[in-house]
Amino acid sequence: MLRHIKINDDSAGYPIDLLSIPAHYKDDLESVMIPYGLIMDRTESIANQIFNDFRHQSLVLLCVIKGGYRFFSNLIEKLQSKNRNSDRVSLPLKINFVCLKKRRKLGRLH
């Protein structure tokens, strides 16, 4: 079963006239590569998969601060919703955050 969404390098994306785009972005965009609704649908699918695969375990979820926070918070929201609405099982969650920094030594990244 396909468990990913592939976007080809030469994809033109979705025309903005097919989507609800805030007016202040319309002059800056030609297309949208991944619409918000598709991202949210995929996030919910990932949450369902996690919930089903780990339903008898306790999870520690780790978010890398900066780039991953928005996705992480949406994923947590979907998992918590599954917990509230499931009468069979609850998935215990512990949430942690880390901040990663690049180290430079003699002009090179390590």
Side-chain angles (χ1 to χ4, degrees):
M1 176 169 60
L2 184 66
R3 294 184 93 65
H4 65 277
I5 296 170
K6 182 178 180 179
I7 300 171
N8 294 325
D9 290 340
D10 60 350
S11 174
Y14 295 88
I16 62 170
D17 60 336
L18 297 178
L19 304 168
S20 176
I21 304 292
H24 59 278
Y25 288 126
K26 286 196 185 244
D27 292 336
D28 298 322
L29 297 175
E30 293 177 11
S31 65
V32 173
M33 294 303 294
I34 308 172
Y36 178 75
L38 183 58
I39 293 170
M40 294 308 294
D41 185 67
R42 184 66 181 127
T43 302
E44 185 165 6
S45 177
I46 292 168
N48 288 337
Q49 184 180 346
I50 290 170
F51 192 82
N52 292 329
D53 290 351
F54 297 98
R55 69 174 122 205
H56 300 295
Q57 301 175 42
S58 177
L59 284 182
V60 176
L61 301 168
L62 183 65
C63 177
V64 177
I65 296 287
K66 298 267 183 181
Y69 176 74
R70 184 84 182 255
F71 164 75
F72 186 75
S73 64
N74 288 329
L75 181 64
I76 296 298
E77 181 182 317
K78 301 291 184 190
L79 287 169
Q80 289 173 333
S81 177
K82 300 281 298 171
N83 272 341
R84 283 190 302 272
N85 296 318
S86 176
D87 56 351
R88 304 180 318 244
V89 68
S90 180
L91 182 63
L93 303 174
K94 291 182 183 178
I95 301 168
N96 285 307
F97 296 87
V98 300
C99 183
L100 303 178
K101 292 184 179 183
K102 296 178 187 174
R103 276 187 27 193
R104 289 184 184 262
K105 187 174 183 179
L106 299 175
R108 295 175 48 187
L109 290 176
H110 291 275

